[in-house]
């Protein structure tokens, strides 16, 4: 049993209030066992059909994950847990490309599949805003060929204004800098070398940017996050949200 994931009593006490209660007809089977099985499947990256028998029927795990994904339950759990924390004074923003497995292709929806072709092949890009402890506060998926600056403002707007925003050279945009200053946030963003105006930035604060790099590394310890197997982007976003909730907010 030591090799399987199980929610501890403390973790379950935090997550249980956010589970849906509008049960119709036959009562749900043991929520704690089913959700533990879903987390185990996402961490190990195997097929749903290969889930361990200790978690009950494999079809139950898959159906619960997909149906709650359609209802936005998993994203709601992440938002509720992350939103309960105090607004941080310093935010970090970055993105990471996630390789798309061949089984995730072929779905209907065109750009809404969030799959883009890059030099490294087909990718989905995970954009994130995290706090000083490396805990993700905002998560967003785009096709892999979408530039970071195009969605930076959308991600940052989801949080209250912070004193500082730390980002790498990929976010060196005049428009973004001006918008942050108007918002009351100091941009800690190094300028690109080919800029005529070399903006000054706090190098001591910038050295802390590794927290978001470590955050992405911990995300990709989960096999179903490191590689996208889900054809449905809603299911993949649900996997990302559940991973974030379990790793950092429980």
């Amino acid at each position: 049993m030591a090799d399987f994931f199980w929610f501890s009593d403390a973790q379950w006490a935090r997550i249980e209030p956010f589970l849906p209660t509008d049960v119709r007809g036959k009562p749900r089977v043991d929520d704690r066992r089913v959700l533990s099985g879903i987390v185990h499947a996402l961490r190990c990256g195997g097929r749903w059909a290969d889930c361990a028998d200790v978690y009950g029927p494999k079809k139950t795990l898959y159906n619960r994950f997909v149906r709650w994904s359609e209802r936005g339950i998993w994203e709601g759990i992440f938002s509720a847990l992350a939103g309960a924390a105090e607004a941080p004074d310093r935010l970090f923003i970055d993105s990471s490309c996630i390789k798309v497995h061949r089984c995730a292709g072929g779905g209907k929806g065109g750009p809404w599949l969030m799959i883009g072709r890059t030099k490294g092949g087909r990718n989905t890009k995970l954009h994130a805003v995290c706090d000083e402890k490396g805990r993700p506060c905002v998560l967003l998926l785009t096709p892999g060929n979408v530039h970071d600056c195009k969605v930076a403002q959308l991600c940052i707007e989801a949080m209250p204004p912070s004193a500082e925003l730390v980002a790498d050279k990929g976010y060196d945009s005049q428009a973004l800098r001006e918008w942050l200053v108007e918002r009351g946030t100091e941009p800690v963003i190094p300028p690109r070398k080919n800029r005529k105006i070399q903006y000054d930035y706090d190098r001591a604060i910038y050295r802390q940017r590794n927290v978001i790099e470590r955050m992405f590394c911990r995300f990709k310890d989960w096999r179903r996050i490191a590689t996208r197997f889900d054809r449905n982007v809603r299911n993949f976003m649900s996997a990302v949200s559940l991973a974030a909730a379990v790793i950092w907010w429980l």
Side-chain angles (χ1 to χ4, degrees), residues 70-89:
E70 292 173 350
R71 296 175 59 186
I73 302 298
W74 308 116
E75 292 180 60
I77 290 172
F78 163 71
S79 298
L81 292 171
E86 294 183 3
D89 290 331

Side-chain angles (χ1 to χ4, degrees), residues 26-39 41 48-49 51-69 74:
K26 189 176 179 180
R28 293 198 304 257
V29 296
D30 185 3
D31 283 335
R32 189 168 178 175
R33 186 191 70 195
V34 172
L35 267 65
S36 295
I38 290 172
V39 170
W48 291 100
C51 291
D53 293 333
V54 294
Y55 297 117
K58 301 169 177 59
K59 189 174 182 180
T60 300
L61 302 182
Y62 173 77
N63 287 342
R64 179 76 60 87
F65 177 73
V66 172
R67 289 169 183 171
W68 282 17
S69 177
W74 308 116

Side-chain angles (χ1 to χ4, degrees), residues 85-248:
E86 294 183 3
D89 290 331
R90 183 175 298 156
L91 292 174
F92 300 79
I93 186 171
D94 204 355
S95 67
S96 181
C97 283
I98 296 169
K99 191 73 173 178
V100 176
H101 193 270
R102 63 178 178 81
C103 67
K108 297 180 180 179
W112 296 107
L113 292 174
M114 299 301 174
I115 299 175
R117 189 167 293 279
T118 66
K119 291 182 179 179
R122 295 185 306 160
N123 287 279
T124 293
K125 186 176 282 190
L126 173 61
H127 303 262
V129 176
C130 77
D131 62 13
E132 293 179 87
K133 296 180 180 179
R135 300 178 300 183
C137 305
V138 179
L139 299 169
L140 177 70
L141 294 178
T142 66
N145 53 3
V146 171
H147 196 279
D148 294 342
C149 279
K150 289 187 176 181
V151 296
Q153 186 171 329
L154 179 63
C155 294
I156 299 165
E157 278 181 331
M159 294 292 293
S162 59
E164 297 126 0
L165 177 84
V166 186
D168 62 17
K169 293 180 181 179
Y171 295 88
D172 180 21
S173 160
Q174 183 69 27
L176 179 61
R177 288 177 183 275
E178 293 176 353
W179 178 76
L180 288 170
V181 171
E182 290 177 2
R183 205 167 186 251
T185 299
E186 176 190 351
V188 184
I189 306 172
R192 297 188 300 271
K193 289 183 179 180
N194 60 354
R195 260 196 176 279
K196 292 182 178 180
I197 302 175
Q198 291 291 303
Y199 291 96
D200 192 22
Y201 64 99
D202 192 318
R203 297 175 185 272
I205 294 177
Y206 184 73
R207 282 196 290 270
Q208 300 177 22
R209 199 186 68 83
N210 63 81
V211 299
I212 197 165
E213 301 289 355
R214 298 201 306 268
M215 182 206 73
F216 282 121
C217 288
R218 290 194 66 188
F219 257 128
K220 292 186 178 183
D221 285 340
W222 288 43
R223 299 290 296 277
R224 276 188 170 264
I225 309 300
T227 302
R228 176 179 167 182
F229 297 101
D230 294 288
R231 182 178 299 178
N232 188 319
V233 69
R234 185 187 297 113
N235 291 346
F236 184 61
M237 186 65 205
S238 295
V240 172
S241 300
L242 185 54
V246 172
I247 297 171
W248 287 282

